Coordinates of all heavy atoms in Angstrom, one line a residue:
F1 N 20.7 -66.8 60.9 CA 19.4 -67.4 61.3 C 19.6 -68.8 61.9 O 18.9 -69.1 62.8 CB 18.5 -67.5 60.1 CG 17.5 -66.4 60.1 CD1 17.9 -65.1 59.9 CD2 16.2 -66.7 60.2 CE1 16.9 -64.1 59.9 CE2 15.2 -65.7 60.2 CZ 15.6 -64.4 60.0
P2 N 20.5 -69.6 61.4 CA 20.6 -71.0 61.9 C 20.9 -71.1 63.4 O 20.5 -72.0 64.1 CB 21.7 -71.7 61.1 CG 21.8 -70.8 59.9 CD 21.4 -69.4 60.2
S3 N 21.6 -70.1 63.9 CA 22.0 -70.1 65.3 C 21.0 -69.5 66.2 O 21.3 -69.4 67.4 CB 23.4 -69.5 65.5 OG 23.3 -68.1 65.1
H4 N 19.9 -69.0 65.7 CA 18.9 -68.4 66.6 C 17.5 -69.1 66.5 O 17.1 -69.6 65.5 CB 18.7 -66.9 66.1 CG 19.9 -66.1 66.3 ND1 20.9 -66.1 65.3 CD2 20.3 -65.2 67.2 CE1 21.9 -65.3 65.8 NE2 21.5 -64.8 66.9
D5 N 16.8 -69.1 67.6 CA 15.5 -69.7 67.7 C 14.5 -68.8 67.1 O 13.5 -69.3 66.4 CB 15.2 -70.0 69.2 CG 16.1 -71.0 69.8 OD1 16.6 -71.9 69.0 OD2 16.4 -70.9 71.0
I6 N 14.5 -67.5 67.4 CA 13.5 -66.6 66.9 C 14.2 -65.3 66.6 O 15.2 -64.9 67.2 CB 12.5 -66.3 68.0 CG1 11.7 -67.5 68.4 CG2 11.5 -65.2 67.6 CD1 10.8 -67.4 69.6
V7 N 13.7 -64.6 65.5 CA 14.2 -63.3 65.1 C 13.1 -62.3 65.1 O 12.0 -62.6 64.5 CB 14.9 -63.4 63.7 CG1 15.3 -62.0 63.2 CG2 16.0 -64.3 63.7
Y8 N 13.2 -61.3 65.9 CA 12.2 -60.2 66.0 C 12.6 -59.1 65.0 O 13.7 -58.6 65.0 CB 12.1 -59.6 67.4 CG 11.6 -60.6 68.4 CD1 12.4 -61.5 69.0 CD2 10.2 -60.6 68.6 CE1 11.9 -62.4 69.9 CE2 9.7 -61.5 69.6 CZ 10.5 -62.4 70.2 OH 10.0 -63.3 71.1
V9 N 11.6 -58.7 64.1 CA 11.8 -57.6 63.2 C 10.9 -56.5 63.7 O 9.7 -56.6 63.8 CB 11.4 -58.0 61.8 CG1 11.6 -56.8 60.8 CG2 12.3 -59.2 61.3
M10 N 11.6 -55.4 64.1 CA 10.8 -54.2 64.6 C 10.2 -53.5 63.4 O 10.9 -52.9 62.6 CB 11.7 -53.3 65.4 CG 12.0 -53.8 66.8 SD 13.2 -55.2 66.7 CE 13.6 -55.3 68.4
A11 N 8.9 -53.5 63.3 CA 8.2 -52.8 62.3 C 7.6 -51.5 62.9 O 6.4 -51.4 63.2 CB 7.1 -53.6 61.7
Y12 N 8.5 -50.5 63.2 CA 8.0 -49.3 63.8 C 8.0 -48.1 62.9 O 8.6 -48.1 61.9 CB 9.0 -49.0 65.0 CG 9.2 -50.0 66.0 CD1 10.3 -50.0 66.9 CD2 8.2 -51.0 66.2 CE1 10.4 -50.9 67.9 CE2 8.4 -51.9 67.2 CZ 9.5 -51.9 68.1 OH 9.7 -52.8 69.0
E13 N 7.2 -47.2 63.3 CA 7.0 -45.9 62.6 C 6.2 -45.9 61.3 O 5.3 -45.1 61.2 CB 8.3 -45.2 62.4 CG 9.1 -44.8 63.6 CD 10.4 -44.2 63.4 OE1 10.6 -43.6 62.2 OE2 11.2 -44.1 64.3
N14 N 6.5 -46.8 60.4 CA 5.7 -46.8 59.2 C 4.9 -48.1 59.1 O 5.4 -49.2 59.1 CB 6.7 -46.8 58.0 CG 6.0 -46.6 56.7 OD1 4.8 -46.9 56.5 ND2 6.7 -46.1 55.7
V15 N 3.6 -48.0 59.2 CA 2.7 -49.1 59.3 C 2.0 -49.4 57.9 O 1.1 -50.2 57.9 CB 1.7 -49.0 60.4 CG1 2.3 -49.0 61.7 CG2 0.8 -47.8 60.2
K16 N 2.6 -48.9 56.9 CA 2.0 -49.2 55.5 C 2.4 -50.6 55.2 O 3.5 -51.0 55.3 CB 2.6 -48.2 54.5 CG 2.1 -46.8 54.7 CD 2.8 -45.9 53.6 CE 2.3 -44.5 53.8 NZ 3.0 -43.5 52.9
P17 N 1.4 -51.4 54.8 CA 1.6 -52.8 54.5 C 2.8 -53.0 53.5 O 3.6 -53.9 53.7 CB 0.3 -53.3 54.0 CG -0.7 -52.4 54.6 CD 0.0 -51.1 54.7
E18 N 2.8 -52.2 52.5 CA 3.9 -52.4 51.4 C 5.3 -52.2 52.0 O 6.2 -52.9 51.7 CB 3.7 -51.4 50.3 CG 2.3 -51.4 49.7 CD 1.3 -50.5 50.5 OE1 1.7 -49.4 51.1 OE2 0.2 -50.9 50.7
F19 N 5.4 -51.2 52.9 CA 6.7 -50.9 53.5 C 7.1 -52.1 54.4 O 8.3 -52.5 54.3 CB 6.6 -49.6 54.3 CG 7.9 -49.3 55.1 CD1 8.9 -48.6 54.4 CD2 8.0 -49.6 56.4 CE1 10.1 -48.3 55.1 CE2 9.2 -49.3 57.1 CZ 10.2 -48.7 56.4
I20 N 6.2 -52.5 55.2 CA 6.6 -53.7 56.1 C 6.9 -54.9 55.3 O 7.8 -55.7 55.6 CB 5.5 -53.9 57.1 CG1 5.4 -52.6 58.1 CG2 5.7 -55.1 58.0 CD1 4.3 -52.6 59.1
A21 N 6.1 -55.2 54.2 CA 6.3 -56.3 53.4 C 7.8 -56.3 52.8 O 8.5 -57.3 52.9 CB 5.3 -56.4 52.3
N22 N 8.2 -55.2 52.3 CA 9.5 -55.0 51.8 C 10.6 -55.2 52.9 O 11.6 -55.9 52.7 CB 9.7 -53.7 51.1 CG 9.0 -53.6 49.8 OD1 8.8 -54.6 49.1 ND2 8.6 -52.4 49.4
K23 N 10.3 -54.8 54.1 CA 11.2 -54.9 55.2 C 11.4 -56.3 55.6 O 12.5 -56.8 56.1 CB 10.7 -54.0 56.4 CG 11.6 -53.9 57.5 CD 11.1 -52.9 58.5 CE 12.1 -52.7 59.6 NZ 11.8 -51.6 60.5
L24 N 10.3 -57.1 55.5 CA 10.3 -58.5 56.0 C 10.8 -59.6 55.0 O 11.0 -60.7 55.3 CB 8.9 -58.9 56.4 CG 8.4 -58.2 57.7 CD1 7.0 -58.5 57.9 CD2 9.2 -58.6 58.9
R25 N 10.8 -59.2 53.7 CA 11.0 -60.2 52.7 C 12.3 -61.1 52.9 O 12.2 -62.3 52.8 CB 11.1 -59.6 51.3 CG 9.7 -59.1 50.9 CD 9.6 -59.0 49.4 NE 8.4 -58.2 49.1 CZ 7.1 -58.6 49.2 NH1 6.9 -59.8 49.6 NH2 6.1 -57.8 48.9
E26 N 13.4 -60.5 53.2 CA 14.6 -61.2 53.4 C 14.5 -62.2 54.6 O 14.9 -63.4 54.5 CB 15.8 -60.3 53.6 CG 17.1 -61.0 53.7 CD 18.3 -60.1 53.8 OE1 18.1 -58.8 53.8 OE2 19.4 -60.6 54.0
E27 N 14.0 -61.7 55.7 CA 13.9 -62.6 56.9 C 12.9 -63.7 56.7 O 13.2 -64.9 57.0 CB 13.4 -61.8 58.1 CG 14.5 -60.8 58.7 CD 14.6 -59.5 58.0 OE1 13.8 -59.3 57.0 OE2 15.4 -58.7 58.4
L28 N 11.8 -63.4 56.0 CA 10.8 -64.5 55.7 C 11.3 -65.5 54.7 O 11.0 -66.7 54.8 CB 9.5 -63.9 55.3 CG 8.7 -63.1 56.3 CD1 7.6 -62.3 55.7 CD2 8.3 -64.0 57.5
A29 N 12.2 -65.1 53.8 CA 12.8 -66.0 52.8 C 13.7 -67.0 53.5 O 13.8 -68.1 53.2 CB 13.4 -65.2 51.7
I30 N 14.4 -66.5 54.5 CA 15.5 -67.3 55.2 C 14.8 -68.2 56.3 O 15.2 -69.3 56.4 CB 16.5 -66.4 55.8 CG1 17.3 -65.6 54.7 CG2 17.5 -67.2 56.7 CD1 18.2 -64.5 55.3
G31 N 14.0 -67.6 57.1 CA 13.4 -68.3 58.2 C 12.0 -67.9 58.6 O 11.8 -67.3 59.6
P32 N 11.0 -68.3 57.7 CA 9.7 -67.9 58.0 C 9.1 -68.3 59.3 O 8.3 -67.6 59.9 CB 8.9 -68.4 56.8 CG 9.7 -69.6 56.3 CD 11.1 -69.2 56.6
N33 N 9.5 -69.5 59.8 CA 9.0 -70.0 61.1 C 9.7 -69.3 62.3 O 9.2 -69.5 63.4 CB 9.1 -71.5 61.1 CG 8.2 -72.2 60.1 OD1 7.1 -71.7 59.9 ND2 8.7 -73.2 59.5
K34 N 10.7 -68.6 62.1 CA 11.5 -68.0 63.1 C 11.2 -66.5 63.2 O 11.7 -65.8 64.1 CB 13.0 -68.2 62.9 CG 13.4 -69.6 63.0 CD 14.9 -69.7 62.9 CE 15.4 -71.1 63.1 NZ 16.9 -71.1 63.1
T35 N 10.5 -65.9 62.3 CA 10.4 -64.5 62.2 C 9.1 -64.0 62.9 O 8.0 -64.5 62.6 CB 10.3 -64.0 60.7 OG1 11.5 -64.5 60.0 CG2 10.2 -62.5 60.6
I36 N 9.3 -63.1 63.8 CA 8.2 -62.5 64.6 C 8.3 -61.0 64.3 O 9.3 -60.4 64.3 CB 8.4 -62.7 66.1 CG1 8.5 -64.2 66.5 CG2 7.3 -62.0 66.9 CD1 7.3 -65.0 66.2
V37 N 7.1 -60.4 64.0 CA 7.0 -59.0 63.7 C 6.6 -58.3 65.0 O 5.6 -58.6 65.6 CB 6.0 -58.7 62.6 CG1 5.8 -57.2 62.4 CG2 6.3 -59.5 61.4
A38 N 7.5 -57.3 65.4 CA 7.2 -56.5 66.6 C 6.5 -55.2 66.2 O 7.0 -54.5 65.3 CB 8.5 -56.3 67.4
L39 N 5.4 -54.9 66.8 CA 4.6 -53.7 66.6 C 4.5 -52.9 67.8 O 4.5 -53.4 68.9 CB 3.2 -54.2 66.1 CG 3.2 -55.1 64.8 CD1 1.8 -55.6 64.6 CD2 3.7 -54.3 63.6
R40 N 4.3 -51.6 67.7 CA 4.1 -50.8 68.8 C 2.8 -50.0 68.7 O 2.5 -49.5 67.6 CB 5.3 -49.9 69.1 CG 5.6 -48.9 68.1 CD 6.8 -48.1 68.5 NE 7.0 -47.1 67.4 CZ 7.9 -46.1 67.4 NH1 8.7 -46.1 68.4 NH2 7.9 -45.2 66.5
S41 N 2.1 -49.8 69.7 CA 0.8 -49.2 69.7 C 0.7 -47.8 69.2 O -0.2 -47.4 68.5 CB 0.2 -49.2 71.1 OG 1.0 -48.5 72.0
Q42 N 1.7 -47.0 69.5 CA 1.7 -45.6 69.1 C 1.7 -45.4 67.6 O 1.5 -44.3 67.2 CB 2.9 -44.8 69.8 CG 4.2 -45.2 69.3 CD 5.3 -44.7 70.2 OE1 5.4 -45.0 71.4 NE2 6.3 -44.0 69.6
D43 N 2.0 -46.4 66.9 CA 2.1 -46.3 65.4 C 0.7 -46.4 64.8 O 0.6 -46.2 63.6 CB 3.0 -47.3 64.8 CG 4.5 -47.0 65.2 OD1 4.8 -45.9 65.4 OD2 5.2 -48.0 65.3
F44 N -0.3 -46.8 65.5 CA -1.6 -47.1 65.0 C -2.6 -46.1 65.5 O -2.6 -45.7 66.7 CB -2.1 -48.5 65.4 CG -1.2 -49.6 64.8 CD1 -0.1 -50.0 65.5 CD2 -1.4 -50.1 63.5 CE1 0.8 -51.0 65.0 CE2 -0.5 -51.0 63.0 CZ 0.5 -51.5 63.7
K45 N -3.6 -45.7 64.6 CA -4.7 -44.8 65.0 C -5.7 -45.5 65.9 O -6.3 -44.9 66.8 CB -5.4 -44.3 63.7 CG -4.5 -43.5 62.9 CD -5.2 -43.1 61.6 CE -4.3 -42.4 60.7 NZ -4.9 -42.2 59.3
N46 N -5.9 -46.8 65.6 CA -6.9 -47.6 66.4 C -6.6 -49.1 66.2 O -5.8 -49.5 65.5 CB -8.3 -47.2 66.0 CG -8.5 -47.3 64.5 OD1 -8.1 -48.3 63.9 ND2 -9.0 -46.3 63.8
R47 N -7.4 -49.8 66.9 CA -7.3 -51.3 66.9 C -7.6 -51.9 65.5 O -7.0 -52.8 65.1 CB -8.3 -51.9 68.0 CG -8.4 -53.4 68.0 CD -7.3 -54.0 68.7 NE -7.4 -55.5 68.7 CZ -7.9 -56.2 69.6 NH1 -8.3 -55.7 70.7 NH2 -7.9 -57.5 69.4
L48 N -8.6 -51.3 64.8 CA -8.9 -51.8 63.5 C -7.7 -51.7 62.5 O -7.5 -52.6 61.8 CB -10.1 -51.0 62.9 CG -10.6 -51.4 61.6 CD1 -11.0 -52.9 61.6 CD2 -11.7 -50.5 61.1
Q49 N -7.0 -50.6 62.6 CA -5.8 -50.4 61.7 C -4.8 -51.5 62.1 O -4.2 -52.1 61.2 CB -5.2 -49.0 61.9 CG -4.1 -48.8 60.9 CD -3.4 -47.5 61.2 OE1 -3.4 -46.9 62.3 NE2 -2.7 -47.0 60.1
L50 N -4.6 -51.8 63.3 CA -3.7 -52.8 63.8 C -4.1 -54.2 63.3 O -3.3 -54.9 62.7 CB -3.6 -52.8 65.3 CG -2.9 -54.1 65.9 CD1 -1.4 -54.1 65.6 CD2 -3.2 -54.1 67.4
E51 N -5.4 -54.5 63.5 CA -5.9 -55.8 63.1 C -5.8 -56.0 61.5 O -5.5 -57.1 61.0 CB -7.3 -56.0 63.6 CG -7.4 -56.2 65.1 CD -6.5 -57.3 65.7 OE1 -6.4 -58.3 65.0 OE2 -6.0 -57.1 66.8
N52 N -6.1 -54.9 60.8 CA -6.0 -55.0 59.3 C -4.6 -55.3 58.9 O -4.4 -56.1 57.9 CB -6.6 -53.8 58.7 CG -8.1 -53.7 58.7 OD1 -8.7 -54.7 58.9 ND2 -8.6 -52.5 58.6
L53 N -3.6 -54.7 59.5 CA -2.2 -54.9 59.1 C -1.8 -56.4 59.5 O -1.2 -57.0 58.6 CB -1.3 -54.0 59.9 CG 0.2 -54.2 59.6 CD1 0.5 -54.0 58.2 CD2 1.1 -53.3 60.5
K54 N -2.2 -56.8 60.6 CA -1.9 -58.2 61.0 C -2.6 -59.2 60.0 O -1.9 -60.2 59.6 CB -2.3 -58.5 62.4 CG -1.4 -57.8 63.5 CD -2.0 -57.9 64.9 CE -2.3 -59.3 65.3 NZ -2.8 -59.3 66.7
K55 N -3.8 -58.9 59.7 CA -4.5 -59.8 58.7 C -3.8 -59.8 57.4 O -3.6 -60.9 56.8 CB -5.9 -59.2 58.5 CG -6.8 -60.1 57.7 CD -8.2 -59.5 57.6 CE -9.2 -60.3 56.8 NZ -10.5 -59.7 56.8
F56 N -3.3 -58.7 56.9 CA -2.5 -58.6 55.6 C -1.2 -59.4 55.8 O -0.9 -60.2 54.9 CB -2.2 -57.2 55.3 CG -1.2 -57.0 54.2 CD1 -1.5 -57.2 52.9 CD2 0.1 -56.8 54.6 CE1 -0.5 -57.1 51.9 CE2 1.1 -56.6 53.6 CZ 0.8 -56.8 52.2
L57 N -0.5 -59.2 56.8 CA 0.8 -59.9 57.0 C 0.6 -61.4 57.1 O 1.4 -62.1 56.6 CB 1.5 -59.3 58.2 CG 1.9 -57.8 58.1 CD1 2.5 -57.4 59.4 CD2 2.9 -57.6 57.0
R58 N -0.4 -61.8 57.8 CA -0.7 -63.3 57.9 C -1.1 -63.9 56.5 O -0.6 -64.9 56.1 CB -1.8 -63.5 58.9 CG -1.4 -63.5 60.3 CD -2.5 -64.1 61.2 NE -2.1 -64.0 62.6 CZ -2.6 -63.2 63.5 NH1 -3.5 -62.4 63.1 NH2 -2.1 -63.2 64.7
A59 N -2.0 -63.2 55.8 CA -2.5 -63.7 54.6 C -1.5 -63.6 53.4 O -1.3 -64.6 52.7 CB -3.8 -63.0 54.2
D60 N -0.9 -62.5 53.2 CA -0.1 -62.2 52.1 C 1.4 -62.7 52.3 O 2.0 -63.1 51.4 CB -0.1 -60.8 51.7 CG -1.4 -60.4 51.1 OD1 -2.4 -61.1 51.3 OD2 -1.5 -59.4 50.4
L61 N 1.9 -62.5 53.5 CA 3.3 -62.9 53.8 C 3.5 -64.1 54.6 O 4.6 -64.5 54.9 CB 4.0 -61.7 54.4 CG 4.0 -60.4 53.6 CD1 4.7 -59.3 54.4 CD2 4.7 -60.6 52.3
K62 N 2.4 -64.7 55.1 CA 2.5 -65.9 55.9 C 3.2 -65.7 57.2 O 3.9 -66.6 57.7 CB 3.1 -67.1 55.2 CG 2.4 -67.3 53.8 CD 1.0 -67.6 53.9 CE 0.4 -68.0 52.5 NZ -0.8 -67.3 52.2
V63 N 3.1 -64.4 57.8 CA 3.7 -64.2 59.1 C 3.0 -65.0 60.1 O 1.8 -65.0 60.2 CB 3.7 -62.6 59.4 CG1 4.1 -62.4 60.9 CG2 4.5 -61.8 58.5
K64 N 3.8 -65.6 61.0 CA 3.2 -66.6 61.9 C 3.0 -66.0 63.3 O 2.3 -66.5 64.1 CB 4.0 -67.8 62.0 CG 4.0 -68.5 60.6 CD 4.4 -70.0 60.7 CE 4.5 -70.7 59.5 NZ 3.9 -70.3 58.3
G65 N 3.8 -64.9 63.6 CA 3.8 -64.4 65.0 C 4.0 -62.9 65.1 O 4.7 -62.3 64.2
F66 N 3.4 -62.4 66.2 CA 3.6 -60.9 66.4 C 4.0 -60.7 67.9 O 3.6 -61.5 68.7 CB 2.2 -60.2 66.2 CG 1.8 -60.3 64.7 CD1 1.0 -61.3 64.3 CD2 2.3 -59.4 63.8 CE1 0.6 -61.4 63.0 CE2 1.9 -59.5 62.5 CZ 1.1 -60.5 62.0
A67 N 4.7 -59.6 68.1 CA 5.0 -59.2 69.5 C 4.7 -57.8 69.7 O 4.6 -57.0 68.7 CB 6.5 -59.4 69.7
F68 N 4.4 -57.4 70.9 CA 4.1 -56.0 71.2 C 5.3 -55.3 71.9 O 5.9 -55.9 72.8 CB 2.9 -55.9 72.2 CG 1.6 -56.5 71.7 CD1 0.8 -57.2 72.4 CD2 1.2 -56.2 70.4 CE1 -0.4 -57.7 72.0 CE2 0.0 -56.7 69.9 CZ -0.8 -57.4 70.7
H69 N 5.6 -54.2 71.4 CA 6.7 -53.4 72.0 C 6.3 -52.8 73.3 O 7.1 -52.8 74.2 CB 7.1 -52.3 71.0 CG 8.0 -51.3 71.6 ND1 7.7 -50.2 72.2 CD2 9.4 -51.3 71.6 CE1 8.7 -49.5 72.6 NE2 9.8 -50.2 72.2
D70 N 5.1 -52.4 73.4 CA 4.6 -51.7 74.6 C 3.2 -52.2 75.0 O 2.2 -51.7 74.5 CB 4.6 -50.2 74.4 CG 4.0 -49.4 75.5 OD1 3.9 -49.9 76.6 OD2 3.6 -48.3 75.2
M71 N 3.2 -53.2 75.9 CA 1.9 -53.8 76.2 C 1.0 -52.8 76.8 O -0.2 -52.8 76.5 CB 2.2 -55.0 77.2 CG 0.9 -55.8 77.4 SD 0.5 -56.6 75.8 CE -1.0 -57.3 76.2
E72 N 1.5 -51.9 77.6 CA 0.6 -50.9 78.3 C -0.1 -50.1 77.2 O -1.3 -49.7 77.3 CB 1.4 -50.0 79.2 CG 0.5 -49.0 79.9 CD 1.3 -48.1 80.9 OE1 2.5 -48.3 81.0 OE2 0.6 -47.2 81.5
G73 N 0.6 -49.7 76.1 CA 0.0 -49.0 75.0 C -1.1 -49.7 74.4 O -2.2 -49.1 74.0
F74 N -0.9 -51.0 74.2 CA -2.0 -51.8 73.5 C -3.2 -52.0 74.5 O -4.4 -52.0 74.0 CB -1.5 -53.2 73.1 CG -0.7 -53.1 71.9 CD1 0.7 -53.1 71.9 CD2 -1.3 -53.0 70.6 CE1 1.5 -53.0 70.7 CE2 -0.5 -52.9 69.5 CZ 0.9 -52.9 69.5
I75 N -3.0 -52.1 75.8 CA -4.1 -52.1 76.7 C -4.8 -50.8 76.7 O -6.1 -50.8 76.7 CB -3.5 -52.4 78.1 CG1 -3.0 -53.9 78.2 CG2 -4.6 -52.2 79.2 CD1 -2.2 -54.2 79.5
N76 N -4.1 -49.7 76.7 CA -4.8 -48.4 76.6 C -5.6 -48.2 75.3 O -6.7 -47.7 75.3 CB -3.8 -47.3 76.8 CG -3.3 -47.2 78.2 OD1 -3.9 -47.7 79.1 ND2 -2.1 -46.6 78.3
M77 N -5.0 -48.8 74.2 CA -5.8 -48.7 72.9 C -7.1 -49.5 73.0 O -8.1 -49.1 72.5 CB -4.9 -49.3 71.8 CG -5.6 -49.3 70.4 SD -4.7 -50.2 69.2 CE -3.2 -49.2 68.9
E78 N -7.0 -50.7 73.6 CA -8.2 -51.5 73.8 C -9.2 -50.8 74.7 O -10.4 -50.8 74.4 CB -7.8 -52.8 74.4 CG -8.8 -53.9 74.4 CD -9.2 -54.3 73.0 OE1 -8.4 -54.2 72.0 OE2 -10.3 -54.7 72.8
K79 N -8.8 -50.2 75.7 CA -9.7 -49.4 76.6 C -10.4 -48.3 75.8 O -11.6 -48.1 76.0 CB -9.0 -48.9 77.8 CG -8.6 -49.9 78.8 CD -7.9 -49.3 80.0 CE -7.5 -50.4 81.0 NZ -6.7 -49.8 82.1
A80 N -9.6 -47.6 75.0 CA -10.2 -46.5 74.2 C -11.2 -47.0 73.3 O -12.2 -46.4 73.0 CB -9.0 -45.8 73.5
N81 N -11.0 -48.2 72.7 CA -12.0 -48.8 71.7 C -13.2 -49.2 72.5 O -14.3 -49.1 71.9 CB -11.3 -50.0 71.0 CG -10.4 -49.5 69.9 OD1 -10.5 -48.5 69.3 ND2 -9.4 -50.4 69.7
E82 N -13.1 -49.7 73.7 CA -14.3 -50.1 74.5 C -15.1 -48.9 74.8 O -16.3 -49.0 75.0 CB -13.8 -50.8 75.8 CG -13.2 -52.1 75.5 CD -12.7 -52.8 76.8 OE1 -12.8 -52.2 77.9 OE2 -12.1 -53.9 76.7
N83 N -14.5 -47.7 75.0 CA -15.3 -46.5 75.4 C -16.0 -45.8 74.2 O -16.6 -44.8 74.4 CB -14.3 -45.5 76.1 CG -13.8 -46.1 77.4 OD1 -14.5 -46.9 78.1 ND2 -12.6 -45.7 77.8
R84 N -15.8 -46.4 73.0 CA -16.5 -45.7 71.9 C -17.9 -46.3 71.7 O -18.3 -47.3 72.0 CB -15.7 -46.0 70.6 CG -14.4 -45.2 70.7 CD -13.7 -45.3 69.4 NE -12.5 -44.5 69.5 CZ -11.5 -44.5 68.6 NH1 -11.7 -45.2 67.5 NH2 -10.5 -43.8 68.8

């Protein structure tokens, strides 16, 4: 960690908050300000599920940043939510 500016942790396939929390504990203990959680759109049913996970990770684990694996997928998710 000391030799890196940012560390991305890929939180793919399993979006259960408890699973991701366990996956992130070591990184957050070592470098909480350097840890970014990468998420991908295809793992979420909708925008609300995504936002709820981010809210949990911010509040309970103090995650400071997120990255998108596939921006086009998130744009399409947003468009689908607008059409409802």
Side-chain angles (χ1 to χ4, degrees):
F1 259 68
S3 63
H4 295 82
D5 296 328
I6 297 174
V7 175
Y8 291 88
V9 178
M10 282 76 169
Y12 300 162
E13 295 181 18
N14 189 336
V15 295
K16 293 179 181 172
E18 312 81 37
F19 177 83
I20 295 175
N22 286 332
K23 187 173 185 172
L24 291 172
R25 288 203 195 285
E26 184 176 356
E27 288 84 357
L28 291 171
I30 296 169
N33 293 324
K34 295 182 175 187
T35 303
I36 303 294
V37 179
L39 303 169
R40 63 181 187 177
S41 61
Q42 69 195 54
D43 294 332
F44 297 92
K45 295 176 187 170
N46 54 47
R47 172 82 184 261
L48 181 61
Q49 185 185 25
L50 165 68
E51 293 301 328
N52 285 339
L53 177 63
K54 287 171 54 179
K55 186 177 181 179
F56 165 80
L57 294 174
R58 279 191 183 110
D60 288 20
L61 300 180
K62 309 300 184 230
V63 171
K64 298 195 181 346
F66 297 92
F68 297 137
H69 171 268
D70 173 20
M71 191 61 185
E72 183 178 359
F74 284 100
I75 291 170
N76 290 336
M77 179 190 292
E78 193 62 27
K79 286 179 183 177
N81 283 331
E82 289 174 3
N83 292 331
R84 289 186 183 174

